[in-house]
Each structure stands twice: as structure tokens, then as C-alpha cells.
Amino acid sequence: MPFPRLIIRSPKANQLMALVTVILLLLSVSAFHFFKSSEPAVSEIDYTRLRAPDEIAAAASLSVDGELLTVTLKNGLLVQAVVTNEAAQQEIVSSFAKNNIPVKFRSLRPSIMETVMSMALPLLTLLALGLVGWRVFASMGGQGDFKLTDGSGGQTVTFDDVAGVDEAKNELAETIDFLRDPERFGRLGGRAPRGILLSGSPGTGKTLLARAAANEAGVPFLAVSGSNFQEKFAGLGAARVRRLFARARKLSPCVIFIDEIDALGRRRGRSGDSASADQDQTLNQLLIEMDGFEQLSGIVIIASTNRPDILDQALTRPGRFDREIAVNLADVRGREQILAVHAQRLKLESGLDLGWIARGTPGFSGADLANLLNEATIAATRDNSEAVARHHVEYARDKILMGAERRGFMMDNDERYATAVHEAGHVAVGLDVRNGDPVHKVSILPRGRALGVTQSLPERDRLMKKREYLEDQIAMLLGGRAAEQLLLDTMTAGASNDIERAVEIARRMVAEFGMSPLGPIHLGKPEDPHSQALLDRIEQATNVIINEQMKRACEMVDARRAEIARLVDELMERDTLDADEILHCFNLKRSLQAA
Ligand code: ADP
Ligand code: ZN
């Protein structure tokens, strides 16, 4: 089954800098205190008392440090007197010496440690301050802020390079006309588009579209990411917005592209903390700049997001991002076109049909498809093939869907057996249900974080998910656990991800799709207030669905014990089985399964 894709962000360099700065500051401050406080408490004494016999009797030692005389008393306390007159000092020293009290003369010069510290401290502090200043300066200076791509130079992207999103292209055509000649557009009475919001899942080609639009119009393309405006120093985000628009006004006509605008365009006033207050300020600045556009300034802002629902409503008001273009996942024809764009540069085996790849990759985004061909090419290069062949594409698809194989990670035989039984449970249920996606492959080679995988692929793009389909999916997800219980008489923690996903589907059936005895309810957003009684009832209805499907999965596994045992044997032998081999174990013919 497909894998959740992880997005890992590397810690930003400037966060590291800030950390180093803080540590340096802390170090110098604490070092300073350490050296200050290492001297014990001292009390002052005057010259006459220092000469008194009982004072001398109580003394353990005397140390002379220039004009400063320090007496260490037998009880450990220190007393000090400043004696400037040399003769008087001499007198004291000799009276102490006469009473057999050790006298030490200390050098006037400070110790090496003291010298080093007294020189290093200001230096360290300066350095730390310098670092902070440099960071602030660097984030204010225009470098590395936003990327400017000239409409002509660099690697150009045209509308021909963006496939499968014809509707979005049509919608952008008017914008391109405007950018080509803003004044003529105005004379003809067109209303200048100002902001366009491209919404859709990641990798569907939103950035590509914006870049191509700028290029088709022959104007500069200023690209910036919404997350660039999240600043550690209050007010810098807003300043950055001002600079971006100042730059755009100079370049106009031009396209400003703001990727992931949700990072700065979330609803304002969510919480009182300073980070969100600063974000509000940044967003306000963006709104001000957009309102300040002259009608024909020739600047078009294109923003992209996969969460249009969380944007501040002020952003989508008329005159701002008032045109939303949905960029959807391509259908099978669109996928074939996208593959064709990316296959241009590649050498494919003559028998390799792009339509076949497109049919086998429902749900893949444009970026996924580009990645698929890339991985396939790498595989072909690795085994010195002349051209990319079918099995390279299959290998690449498995890798993308299920994660890379972890060769060299050895499971012992018990673990392999348990994994084989678990996966065989998924397969048995997958073959039995009527409305699920056909089982395509099963493997007990560890991939990614999973020990084994059962892969099922939809035979077509599913635009509508029926209740029966969802129930079958839940049963399939629970099939692994069912087999563990019935055939191994145990349970493994490996089923936790299956269970999590099954419960998630069941909960959505209840709370979003109205597919439970609770009727058509919709819970709305998680942050909205909900009555606990309703939440409890949703939880109960979810449980009912899960238990029903678990029972069904157990019945299916129970009825197929012999076939499952065959499949487990084959898996232990060969690690991975494809659709035909699986059907063979179950005495089924391909015709029984949707091809
Ligand atoms: P988004 O901005 O929607 O997250 P991108 O435009 O950054 O997606 O797409 C990433 C890459 O995926 C592109 O550089 C391109 O190689 C490929 N790609 C995505 N969508 C398409 C498409 N519709 N046609 C061709 N290539 C695409
Ligand atoms: Zn499983």
C-alpha cells in the first residue's frame, strides 16, 4: 500500500547562527561571573587595627600585593588594608614575620589567566554582538531574498512543458495578454488581473505554470516562498514584503510568484504570541501593497497553496487574490501527456508505451511522474541498458509507492514468517473483496519503515469513493492483523500503521461522509468547538465500522487458510510475488480480477 511521504526540513543555517550567538553570549557572561565570584568575601580593616597584637595573633598568613595587604585569619576570613606608606608597610610586614606568620609577596601584575580573560571577554562580547548584527544585516540586505528569473534568459519554461492542466492554462491566457501590453489591455476595457491563486496538491505544476506564464508574456519572474517571510526578528517579514514590491515596481511589467502563500497568509489574530503577531504584520503589509497597485502597473501576483481553506479571507477579496485556479491531479490522459514531456530527453525502449505507465500510476502528480522516469533512467543506467525498459519503470514505481528496499537489513526466519503471514492476510482479503483495488504485488523485503508491503493499485482514477469501496479498504487494512490472530495466535506491533489508517477512513465515513446511523453530519474544522456528546457518538459509530470490518476480514482469512499457507511458503522462498504468482497461489485466474 502506498506510503505516507515524509517531508523533512533541514535546520536553517540562520537558526544555527542565532544559536551560536546566544551560546557565546551566555558563555562570556557566565565566565565573567565565575571569575568574579571565585574570590572569598573580604572585610576592610584600618591600619591601626592591623598593627594591634590580637589581630596579629589571630592571623594565619599575610600577603602583600603592592599597596594592598591581605591577612588570612586562622578562621579562614580575609581582612584587607591599603597601606600606601612604604615605611609603614615595612613595619607591618616585619611585625608579622617576627610572630612567625608567613608573608607572601604577590606580583603586581595580574596572573596570565586574568590577563587572558580580561582581554578575551570584551573580544568575545564584541564577536557575539558582531554575529547578531551581521545576521540582522544579512536578513535585511537584499541578497538571497527572492529569486529573479528573467523572462528570456536561463532555462526557459513554456506552456508546452506543462501538460495535463489545460484548464489552468486557458485561465492564465488572459493574464498573459495583460502582461504583454498592460496599456492596450486597459484601453480595451479589460479589468486588470492583480492576484491569482493557484490551488492544488504539491507537485501538480503550479510553480511551473507561473513560470511558464511569465515566460510566455516575456516578462521577468520574481519568485519567493511564503516561508521566507517567517522571520525571527519582528518586523523583518513586513520589510521584506515592501522590498519585494519595490523591486517589482522597477521591473514591471512582471510576475511575482509567492510559493506556499499559506505560510504567511493564514488567518490573522489566531493567538496572542509574538510570532503570529509578526506574521499578521507581514500579511497586512502584503495587503497594503496589493491595494496600492495602480490599475495598470503591470504587476501580476501569482500565489500557490495546497490549503486555500486556511487563508485569511482578506486575501481573497476583490482586488486581491480574487481569481482562484484549481490545478488538479491529472487524469490518465493528462498523465500520458506529462510523461511525454519528460520522456523527450530520454531513451525509451520501443515497446515501452507511455499510456501503459499512465494507466498504472493513478494519483501520481506531475512531480511524481517526473521522478518515476528519473528513477527508471537511473535503474537503466545502473544495469548498463541501452534504453529504459518496462521493468525499470516497474522497479521505479515500486520504489516510489513502497519506499526503497532495505537490502542488507536481515530479518530472522521467525520475523520473515510472521511478516509473510501478515502480508498474506492483506492479500487474502484484497482478493476476496469486490470493490477494492486489485492486489498488484506483495513483498516481505523491508522497505522504508515497513517490514513487508502489499501493493494494490486502482485500475482507474477514482473520482468518487463509494461506501462499499471504503469498507473494503478498511477490511484489507485489517487483513494483516486478522491473519496474525487466526494463524499465529498473536499480534504484532507492525499492524499499528494499518490500524491507524483503517480508523482514519472509518472516522471520515462517520464524521464527513455521513455513512453511519448518525446520518449526514459534518464536523467541520478541528479547531471549532464541538459537543463532547457528539464526539463520543462519532467515536462509537467509528468503532462499530471497524469491528464489523475486522470480523469480515477474519472470516475471509479463515476461509482461505490453505491458500494463505501456499502464499506464505512462496513468500518465504522468493520474497516478492507479482499479481500472476499471487493468483496462482489462490487458484484464481486473471479474469476473476479486474485486469
Ligand atoms: P507545485 O508548484 O505544484 O508544487 P512544481 O511546479 O514545482 O509543482 O512541479 C515540480 C516538478 O514536477 C516540475 O518541475 C516538473 O518537472 C514536474 N511537473 C509537475 N507538474 C507538471 C506538469 N503538469 N507537466 C509537466 N511537468 C510537471
Ligand atoms: Zn500491514
Side-chain angles (χ1 to χ4, degrees):
M1 316 217 156
F3 257 55
R5 277 168 220 160
L6 298 180
I7 300 170
I8 298 164
R9 300 226 167 127
S10 61
K12 285 192 194 144
N14 51 8
Q15 281 172 351
L16 208 68
M17 284 317 286
L19 196 71
V20 169
T21 311
V22 169
I23 289 178
L24 273 179
L25 269 176
L26 281 179
L27 268 182
S28 37
V29 168
S30 59
F32 193 71
H33 276 273
F34 177 74
F35 282 94
K36 277 277 162 205
S37 62
S38 63
E39 299 189 359
V42 189
S43 56
E44 297 274 333
I45 191 174
D46 53 25
Y47 171 64
T48 33
R49 270 196 55 208
L50 192 57
R51 290 187 59 202
D54 52 337
E55 212 57 58
I56 296 175
S61 70
L62 169 71
S63 104
V64 183
D65 191 352
E67 297 173 345
L68 182 70
L69 303 188
T70 308
V71 180
T72 311
L73 299 176
K74 284 177 180 147
N75 60 9
L77 292 179
L78 294 179
V79 291
Q80 282 188 329
V82 174
V83 181
T84 40
N85 184 304
E86 218 165 296
Q89 207 184 64
Q90 203 80 62
E91 202 181 331
I92 292 176
V93 169
S94 55
S95 64
F96 271 75
K98 246 183 269 162
N99 284 282
N100 286 328
I101 293 163
V103 179
K104 277 181 293 181
F105 287 89
R106 264 216 262 162
S107 154
L108 266 176
R109 278 177 299 174
S111 72
I112 293 177
M113 194 59 189
E114 276 167 348
T115 318
V116 169
M117 278 316 291
S118 63
M119 280 166 64
L121 269 185
L123 266 180
L124 274 179
T125 317
L126 264 180
L127 196 71
L129 283 177
L131 277 176
V132 171
W134 177 67
R135 274 307 312 154
V136 172
F137 184 75
S139 50
M140 292 198 304
Q143 295 312 306
D145 240 10
F146 22 81
K147 269 201 305 252
L148 173 71
T149 331
D150 200 82
S152 55
Q155 26 137 247
T156 46
V157 180
T158 68
F159 264 179
D160 289 340
D161 298 319
V162 199
V165 283
D166 293 339
E167 276 171 61
K169 282 200 227 171
N170 287 338
E171 297 236 20
L172 281 171
E174 188 191 0
T175 306
I176 292 169
D177 280 346
F178 165 70
L179 284 168
R180 278 200 184 123
D181 193 350
E183 281 177 26
R184 201 184 78 112
F185 194 87
R187 271 203 311 277
L188 298 178
R191 198 174 68 83
R194 223 173 255 196
I196 295 164
L197 190 64
L198 299 178
S199 65
S201 6
T204 42
K206 299 181 291 297
T207 310
L208 210 59
L209 266 173
R211 195 179 284 277
N215 188 49
E216 294 278 335
V219 302
F221 181 72
L222 264 175
V224 64
S225 168
S227 54
N228 281 14
F229 293 98
Q230 292 167 328
E231 283 292 343
K232 270 159 298 307
F233 302 104
L236 281 190
R240 201 166 266 214
V241 171
R242 268 196 299 278
R243 265 181 296 117
L244 174 66
F245 280 84
R247 181 95 183 268
R249 274 191 288 273
K250 281 198 204 113
L251 289 170
S252 78
C254 67
V255 170
I256 297 179
F257 177 66
I258 307 180
D259 201 5
E260 297 176 40
I261 195 170
D262 38 292
L264 87 114
R266 276 167 193 273
R267 269 184 213 106
R268 282 167 294 178
R270 280 157 303 134
S271 65
D273 65 277
S274 67
S276 85
D278 190 42
Q279 191 233 292
D280 294 356
Q281 206 188 340
T282 310
L283 176 53
N284 281 334
Q285 189 62 41
L286 176 66
L287 298 175
I288 291 169
E289 296 286 351
M290 289 190 81
D291 291 344
F293 275 9
E294 285 146 45
Q295 183 60 21
L296 297 173
S297 63
I299 302 175
V300 170
I301 315 183
I302 302 180
S304 88
T305 178
N306 59 343
R307 296 293 310 276
D309 53 312
I310 61 169
L311 293 182
D312 195 290
Q313 270 150 19
L315 264 179
T316 46
R317 284 224 189 93
R320 293 169 183 163
F321 292 101
D322 47 10
R323 207 169 298 178
E324 181 177 337
I325 302 180
V327 185
N328 296 317
L329 286 175
D331 60 10
V332 66
R333 262 193 48 230
R335 284 198 299 276
E336 190 172 341
Q337 288 161 6
I338 295 174
L339 286 165
V341 168
H342 290 278
Q344 272 167 11
R345 298 167 288 112
L346 305 176
K347 235 178 120 192
L348 305 184
E349 224 175 59
S350 55
L352 186 56
D353 171 22
L354 294 181
W356 168 77
I357 305 180
R359 281 193 299 280
T361 47
F364 274 46
S365 70
D368 292 334
L369 294 170
N371 186 21
L372 176 81
L373 288 182
N374 189 42
E375 290 285 350
T377 310
I378 291 174
T381 314
R382 203 181 308 133
D383 57 40
N384 290 324
S385 300
E386 286 289 299
V388 177
R390 213 176 153 114
H391 67 270
H392 297 129
V393 174
E394 285 196 327
Y395 166 85
R397 186 179 61 186
D398 286 355
K399 185 168 171 189
I400 291 171
L401 280 179
M402 317 196 285
E405 283 172 15
R406 280 165 60 189
R407 300 217 175 259
F409 171 89
M410 288 300 292
M411 288 193 283
D412 68 31
N413 251 357
D414 285 351
E415 287 166 338
R416 287 184 71 231
Y417 184 75
T419 307
V421 171
H422 175 102
E423 296 306 326
H426 286 307
V427 174
V429 176
L431 289 177
D432 215 359
V433 296
R434 288 180 181 284
N435 304 285
D437 299 323
V439 177
H440 171 77
K441 190 169 269 185
V442 59
S443 165
I444 58 167
L445 282 178
R447 285 170 184 270
R449 282 177 304 151
L451 295 181
V453 204
T454 303
Q455 184 188 344
S456 57
L457 270 182
E459 74 259 37
R460 61 193 158 82
D461 299 315
R462 279 185 197 276
L463 292 178
M464 195 166 52
K465 291 179 175 167
K466 288 195 201 147
R467 173 180 176 169
E468 292 74 19
Y469 173 74
L470 297 171
E471 285 174 346
D472 285 359
Q473 270 206 316
I474 296 173
M476 268 184 78
L477 282 165
L478 297 172
R481 164 53 55 89
E484 289 173 9
Q485 277 182 13
L486 290 179
L487 308 177
L488 297 176
D489 198 21
T490 182
M491 301 183 208
T492 74
S496 77
N497 181 253
D498 295 337
I499 296 172
E500 185 186 327
R501 286 167 51 201
V503 171
E504 176 64 28
I505 297 174
R507 186 173 294 125
R508 292 188 69 189
M509 287 174 66
V510 177
E512 285 178 40
F513 311 146
M515 297 177 181
S516 80
L518 297 187
I521 55 167
H522 184 81
L523 207 48
K525 301 187 182 63
E527 63 264 27
D528 296 343
H530 301 296
S531 88
Q532 191 56 46
L534 179 62
L535 293 180
D536 287 345
R537 286 202 300 169
I538 289 175
E539 217 47 44
Q540 276 163 18
T542 304
N543 250 328
V544 169
I545 295 180
I546 289 292
N547 290 336
E548 269 173 11
Q549 295 310 318
M550 185 67 200
K551 192 162 155 260
R552 218 175 129 219
C554 284
E555 283 163 8
M556 290 175 178
V557 167
D558 199 29
R560 303 280 192 111
R561 282 176 187 256
E563 293 90 333
I564 290 175
R566 263 206 298 276
L567 186 65
V568 169
D569 284 345
E570 288 289 303
L571 274 175
M572 292 294 284
E573 188 103 345
R574 285 188 288 175
D575 286 331
T576 304
L577 302 179
D578 65 20
D580 284 336
E581 293 164 322
I582 293 168
L583 292 175
H584 181 75
C585 293
F586 280 75
N587 292 328
L588 290 171
K589 294 247 161 46
R590 204 171 234 291
S591 59
L592 274 183
Q593 275 244 307

mmCIF file of all heavy atoms in Angstrom, residues 149-180:
data_model
loop_
_atom_site.group_PDB
_atom_site.id
_atom_site.type_symbol
_atom_site.label_atom_id
_atom_site.label_comp_id
_atom_site.label_asym_id
_atom_site.label_seq_id
_atom_site.Cartn_x
_atom_site.Cartn_y
_atom_site.Cartn_z
ATOM 1 N N THR A 149 14.096 35.568 -12.113
ATOM 2 C CA THR A 149 14.407 34.888 -13.352
ATOM 3 C C THR A 149 13.944 35.762 -14.476
ATOM 4 O O THR A 149 12.791 36.180 -14.520
ATOM 5 C CB THR A 149 13.680 33.548 -13.470
ATOM 6 O OG1 THR A 149 13.468 33.053 -12.167
ATOM 7 C CG2 THR A 149 14.497 32.579 -14.265
ATOM 8 N N ASP A 150 14.833 36.064 -15.333
ATOM 9 C CA ASP A 150 14.488 36.891 -16.466
ATOM 10 C C ASP A 150 13.536 36.116 -17.362
ATOM 11 O O ASP A 150 13.621 34.903 -17.482
ATOM 12 C CB ASP A 150 15.757 37.247 -17.221
ATOM 13 C CG ASP A 150 15.541 38.448 -18.079
ATOM 14 O OD1 ASP A 150 15.628 39.576 -17.556
ATOM 15 O OD2 ASP A 150 15.234 38.267 -19.258
ATOM 16 N N GLY A 151 12.620 36.834 -17.990
ATOM 17 C CA GLY A 151 11.679 36.173 -18.894
ATOM 18 C C GLY A 151 12.371 35.488 -20.053
ATOM 19 O O GLY A 151 11.820 34.561 -20.649
ATOM 20 N N SER A 152 13.576 35.935 -20.390
ATOM 21 C CA SER A 152 14.222 35.354 -21.565
ATOM 22 C C SER A 152 15.342 34.379 -21.201
ATOM 23 O O SER A 152 15.401 33.280 -21.732
ATOM 24 C CB SER A 152 14.794 36.471 -22.440
ATOM 25 O OG SER A 152 15.656 37.277 -21.670
ATOM 26 N N GLY A 153 16.203 34.790 -20.276
ATOM 27 C CA GLY A 153 17.416 34.006 -20.032
ATOM 28 C C GLY A 153 17.150 32.739 -19.234
ATOM 29 O O GLY A 153 16.030 32.413 -18.890
ATOM 30 N N GLY A 154 18.216 32.037 -18.935
ATOM 31 C CA GLY A 154 18.113 30.828 -18.120
ATOM 32 C C GLY A 154 17.417 29.712 -18.875
ATOM 33 O O GLY A 154 17.233 29.771 -20.080
ATOM 34 N N GLN A 155 17.019 28.657 -18.137
ATOM 35 C CA GLN A 155 16.297 27.592 -18.814
ATOM 36 C C GLN A 155 14.844 28.012 -18.873
ATOM 37 O O GLN A 155 14.191 28.222 -17.855
ATOM 38 C CB GLN A 155 16.468 26.253 -18.107
ATOM 39 C CG GLN A 155 16.762 26.357 -16.632
ATOM 40 C CD GLN A 155 15.984 25.359 -15.842
ATOM 41 O OE1 GLN A 155 15.103 25.688 -15.063
ATOM 42 N NE2 GLN A 155 16.317 24.084 -16.054
ATOM 43 N N THR A 156 14.347 28.161 -20.053
ATOM 44 C CA THR A 156 13.012 28.708 -20.193
ATOM 45 C C THR A 156 11.971 27.600 -20.146
ATOM 46 O O THR A 156 12.176 26.505 -20.636
ATOM 47 C CB THR A 156 12.888 29.461 -21.521
ATOM 48 O OG1 THR A 156 13.451 28.647 -22.530
ATOM 49 C CG2 THR A 156 13.628 30.775 -21.461
ATOM 50 N N VAL A 157 10.867 27.938 -19.527
ATOM 51 C CA VAL A 157 9.752 27.012 -19.445
ATOM 52 C C VAL A 157 8.606 27.602 -20.250
ATOM 53 O O VAL A 157 8.232 28.748 -20.036
ATOM 54 C CB VAL A 157 9.305 26.844 -17.979
ATOM 55 C CG1 VAL A 157 8.146 25.886 -17.909
ATOM 56 C CG2 VAL A 157 10.450 26.399 -17.123
ATOM 57 N N THR A 158 8.092 26.858 -21.163
ATOM 58 C CA THR A 158 6.953 27.351 -21.932
ATOM 59 C C THR A 158 5.711 26.548 -21.547
ATOM 60 O O THR A 158 5.809 25.553 -20.824
ATOM 61 C CB THR A 158 7.179 27.188 -23.441
ATOM 62 O OG1 THR A 158 7.176 25.789 -23.736
ATOM 63 C CG2 THR A 158 8.493 27.803 -23.858
ATOM 64 N N PHE A 159 4.580 26.991 -22.054
ATOM 65 C CA PHE A 159 3.348 26.268 -21.769
ATOM 66 C C PHE A 159 3.402 24.835 -22.287
ATOM 67 O O PHE A 159 2.713 23.959 -21.784
ATOM 68 C CB PHE A 159 2.147 27.016 -22.371
ATOM 69 C CG PHE A 159 1.472 27.912 -21.369
ATOM 70 C CD1 PHE A 159 0.374 28.685 -21.731
ATOM 71 C CD2 PHE A 159 1.912 27.971 -20.049
ATOM 72 C CE1 PHE A 159 -0.252 29.502 -20.804
ATOM 73 C CE2 PHE A 159 1.289 28.787 -19.120
ATOM 74 C CZ PHE A 159 0.210 29.557 -19.504
ATOM 75 N N ASP A 160 4.248 24.600 -23.299
ATOM 76 C CA ASP A 160 4.360 23.242 -23.826
ATOM 77 C C ASP A 160 4.981 22.288 -22.806
ATOM 78 O O ASP A 160 4.795 21.075 -22.892
ATOM 79 C CB ASP A 160 5.213 23.240 -25.099
ATOM 80 C CG ASP A 160 4.473 23.887 -26.253
ATOM 81 O OD1 ASP A 160 3.226 23.960 -26.168
ATOM 82 O OD2 ASP A 160 5.132 24.330 -27.208
ATOM 83 N N ASP A 161 5.754 22.847 -21.878
ATOM 84 C CA ASP A 161 6.403 21.988 -20.878
ATOM 85 C C ASP A 161 5.457 21.611 -19.754
ATOM 86 O O ASP A 161 5.783 20.784 -18.910
ATOM 87 C CB ASP A 161 7.618 22.709 -20.271
ATOM 88 C CG ASP A 161 8.659 22.999 -21.326
ATOM 89 O OD1 ASP A 161 8.885 22.116 -22.166
ATOM 90 O OD2 ASP A 161 9.225 24.104 -21.309
ATOM 91 N N VAL A 162 4.318 22.290 -19.690
ATOM 92 C CA VAL A 162 3.343 21.986 -18.644
ATOM 93 C C VAL A 162 2.186 21.240 -19.298
ATOM 94 O O VAL A 162 1.519 21.789 -20.167
ATOM 95 C CB VAL A 162 2.808 23.264 -17.973
ATOM 96 C CG1 VAL A 162 2.197 22.933 -16.634
ATOM 97 C CG2 VAL A 162 3.898 24.295 -17.830
ATOM 98 N N ALA A 163 1.996 20.000 -18.892
ATOM 99 C CA ALA A 163 0.983 19.200 -19.575
ATOM 100 C C ALA A 163 -0.136 18.814 -18.624
ATOM 101 O O ALA A 163 0.015 18.866 -17.407
ATOM 102 C CB ALA A 163 1.629 17.935 -20.141
ATOM 103 N N GLY A 164 -1.260 18.442 -19.210
ATOM 104 C CA GLY A 164 -2.342 17.875 -18.416
ATOM 105 C C GLY A 164 -3.093 18.873 -17.556
ATOM 106 O O GLY A 164 -3.898 18.481 -16.720
ATOM 107 N N VAL A 165 -2.828 20.159 -17.734
ATOM 108 C CA VAL A 165 -3.547 21.151 -16.923
ATOM 109 C C VAL A 165 -4.094 22.234 -17.849
ATOM 110 O O VAL A 165 -3.868 23.417 -17.652
ATOM 111 C CB VAL A 165 -2.637 21.782 -15.840
ATOM 112 C CG1 VAL A 165 -2.449 20.822 -14.692
ATOM 113 C CG2 VAL A 165 -1.285 22.160 -16.407
ATOM 114 N N ASP A 166 -4.839 21.792 -18.877
ATOM 115 C CA ASP A 166 -5.300 22.710 -19.918
ATOM 116 C C ASP A 166 -6.207 23.805 -19.383
ATOM 117 O O ASP A 166 -6.121 24.950 -19.794
ATOM 118 C CB ASP A 166 -6.029 21.917 -21.016
ATOM 119 C CG ASP A 166 -5.050 21.018 -21.757
ATOM 120 O OD1 ASP A 166 -3.839 21.320 -21.701
ATOM 121 O OD2 ASP A 166 -5.481 20.021 -22.364
ATOM 122 N N GLU A 167 -7.079 23.440 -18.432
ATOM 123 C CA GLU A 167 -7.985 24.456 -17.902
ATOM 124 C C GLU A 167 -7.216 25.607 -17.278
ATOM 125 O O GLU A 167 -7.495 26.771 -17.514
ATOM 126 C CB GLU A 167 -8.894 23.839 -16.829
ATOM 127 C CG GLU A 167 -10.099 23.149 -17.404
ATOM 128 C CD GLU A 167 -10.833 22.382 -16.331
ATOM 129 O OE1 GLU A 167 -11.296 23.022 -15.368
ATOM 130 O OE2 GLU A 167 -10.919 21.140 -16.443
ATOM 131 N N ALA A 168 -6.230 25.264 -16.452
ATOM 132 C CA ALA A 168 -5.437 26.301 -15.801
ATOM 133 C C ALA A 168 -4.725 27.150 -16.842
ATOM 134 O O ALA A 168 -4.645 28.379 -16.713
ATOM 135 C CB ALA A 168 -4.424 25.665 -14.850
ATOM 136 N N LYS A 169 -4.244 26.517 -17.897
ATOM 137 C CA LYS A 169 -3.567 27.278 -18.950
ATOM 138 C C LYS A 169 -4.515 28.268 -19.600
ATOM 139 O O LYS A 169 -4.157 29.424 -19.822
ATOM 140 C CB LYS A 169 -3.011 26.321 -20.010
ATOM 141 C CG LYS A 169 -1.738 25.631 -19.596
ATOM 142 C CD LYS A 169 -1.045 25.124 -20.846
ATOM 143 C CE LYS A 169 -0.609 23.696 -20.675
ATOM 144 N NZ LYS A 169 -0.121 23.091 -21.907
ATOM 145 N N ASN A 170 -5.739 27.810 -19.891
ATOM 146 C CA ASN A 170 -6.720 28.711 -20.505
ATOM 147 C C ASN A 170 -7.005 29.910 -19.610
ATOM 148 O O ASN A 170 -7.113 31.030 -20.075
ATOM 149 C CB ASN A 170 -8.034 27.968 -20.779
ATOM 150 C CG ASN A 170 -7.883 27.017 -21.943
ATOM 151 O OD1 ASN A 170 -6.975 27.199 -22.775
ATOM 152 N ND2 ASN A 170 -8.729 26.002 -22.003
ATOM 153 N N GLU A 171 -7.117 29.618 -18.329
ATOM 154 C CA GLU A 171 -7.439 30.709 -17.403
ATOM 155 C C GLU A 171 -6.309 31.727 -17.336
ATOM 156 O O GLU A 171 -6.531 32.902 -17.072
ATOM 157 C CB GLU A 171 -7.695 30.135 -16.004
ATOM 158 C CG GLU A 171 -8.888 29.211 -15.977
ATOM 159 C CD GLU A 171 -9.899 29.657 -14.955
ATOM 160 O OE1 GLU A 171 -9.865 30.835 -14.560
ATOM 161 O OE2 GLU A 171 -10.728 28.825 -14.554
ATOM 162 N N LEU A 172 -5.101 31.260 -17.542
ATOM 163 C CA LEU A 172 -3.961 32.168 -17.445
ATOM 164 C C LEU A 172 -3.738 32.965 -18.733
ATOM 165 O O LEU A 172 -2.983 33.940 -18.743
ATOM 166 C CB LEU A 172 -2.687 31.384 -17.097
ATOM 167 C CG LEU A 172 -2.544 31.004 -15.629
ATOM 168 C CD1 LEU A 172 -1.381 30.048 -15.428
ATOM 169 C CD2 LEU A 172 -2.341 32.251 -14.770
ATOM 170 N N ALA A 173 -4.426 32.554 -19.816
ATOM 171 C CA ALA A 173 -4.184 33.201 -21.108
ATOM 172 C C ALA A 173 -4.443 34.703 -21.044
ATOM 173 O O ALA A 173 -3.664 35.513 -21.550
ATOM 174 C CB ALA A 173 -5.055 32.552 -22.182
ATOM 175 N N GLU A 174 -5.517 35.079 -20.366
ATOM 176 C CA GLU A 174 -5.884 36.487 -20.269
ATOM 177 C C GLU A 174 -4.797 37.277 -19.532
ATOM 178 O O GLU A 174 -4.451 38.397 -19.897
ATOM 179 C CB GLU A 174 -7.211 36.585 -19.518
ATOM 180 C CG GLU A 174 -7.806 37.948 -19.517
ATOM 181 C CD GLU A 174 -8.963 38.037 -18.542
ATOM 182 O OE1 GLU A 174 -9.271 37.011 -17.880
ATOM 183 O OE2 GLU A 174 -9.549 39.106 -18.434
ATOM 184 N N THR A 175 -4.274 36.660 -18.486
ATOM 185 C CA THR A 175 -3.222 37.304 -17.715
ATOM 186 C C THR A 175 -2.000 37.569 -18.590
ATOM 187 O O THR A 175 -1.354 38.609 -18.490
ATOM 188 C CB THR A 175 -2.820 36.390 -16.546
ATOM 189 O OG1 THR A 175 -3.985 36.072 -15.826
ATOM 190 C CG2 THR A 175 -1.828 37.065 -15.652
ATOM 191 N N ILE A 176 -1.723 36.619 -19.451
ATOM 192 C CA ILE A 176 -0.572 36.788 -20.325
ATOM 193 C C ILE A 176 -0.796 37.939 -21.290
ATOM 194 O O ILE A 176 0.095 38.768 -21.507
ATOM 195 C CB ILE A 176 -0.285 35.465 -21.067
ATOM 196 C CG1 ILE A 176 0.187 34.430 -20.048
ATOM 197 C CG2 ILE A 176 0.738 35.664 -22.161
ATOM 198 C CD1 ILE A 176 0.252 33.039 -20.582
ATOM 199 N N ASP A 177 -2.010 38.029 -21.829
ATOM 200 C CA ASP A 177 -2.336 39.167 -22.690
ATOM 201 C C ASP A 177 -2.093 40.480 -21.966
ATOM 202 O O ASP A 177 -1.524 41.414 -22.513
ATOM 203 C CB ASP A 177 -3.824 39.114 -23.103
ATOM 204 C CG ASP A 177 -4.038 38.136 -24.231
ATOM 205 O OD1 ASP A 177 -3.029 37.726 -24.843
ATOM 206 O OD2 ASP A 177 -5.203 37.777 -24.491
ATOM 207 N N PHE A 178 -2.555 40.519 -20.740
ATOM 208 C CA PHE A 178 -2.398 41.740 -19.958
ATOM 209 C C PHE A 178 -0.921 42.092 -19.776
ATOM 210 O O PHE A 178 -0.502 43.230 -19.974
ATOM 211 C CB PHE A 178 -3.077 41.570 -18.599
ATOM 212 C CG PHE A 178 -2.689 42.598 -17.588
ATOM 213 C CD1 PHE A 178 -3.099 43.921 -17.733
ATOM 214 C CD2 PHE A 178 -1.906 42.258 -16.497
ATOM 215 C CE1 PHE A 178 -2.739 44.871 -16.806
ATOM 216 C CE2 PHE A 178 -1.544 43.208 -15.561
ATOM 217 C CZ PHE A 178 -1.958 44.517 -15.723
ATOM 218 N N LEU A 179 -0.119 41.109 -19.424
ATOM 219 C CA LEU A 179 1.298 41.365 -19.160
ATOM 220 C C LEU A 179 2.026 41.807 -20.437
ATOM 221 O O LEU A 179 2.954 42.612 -20.379
ATOM 222 C CB LEU A 179 1.967 40.119 -18.590
ATOM 223 C CG LEU A 179 1.662 39.823 -17.127
ATOM 224 C CD1 LEU A 179 2.141 38.427 -16.762
ATOM 225 C CD2 LEU A 179 2.327 40.865 -16.232
ATOM 226 N N ARG A 180 1.592 41.279 -21.562
ATOM 227 C CA ARG A 180 2.265 41.620 -22.818
ATOM 228 C C ARG A 180 2.113 43.104 -23.108
ATOM 229 O O ARG A 180 3.045 43.743 -23.585
ATOM 230 C CB ARG A 180 1.669 40.809 -23.971
ATOM 231 C CG ARG A 180 2.259 39.432 -24.038
ATOM 232 C CD ARG A 180 2.063 38.821 -25.420
ATOM 233 N NE ARG A 180 2.575 37.459 -25.405
ATOM 234 C CZ ARG A 180 1.849 36.385 -25.722
ATOM 235 N NH1 ARG A 180 0.595 36.533 -26.095
ATOM 236 N NH2 ARG A 180 2.384 35.197 -25.681
#
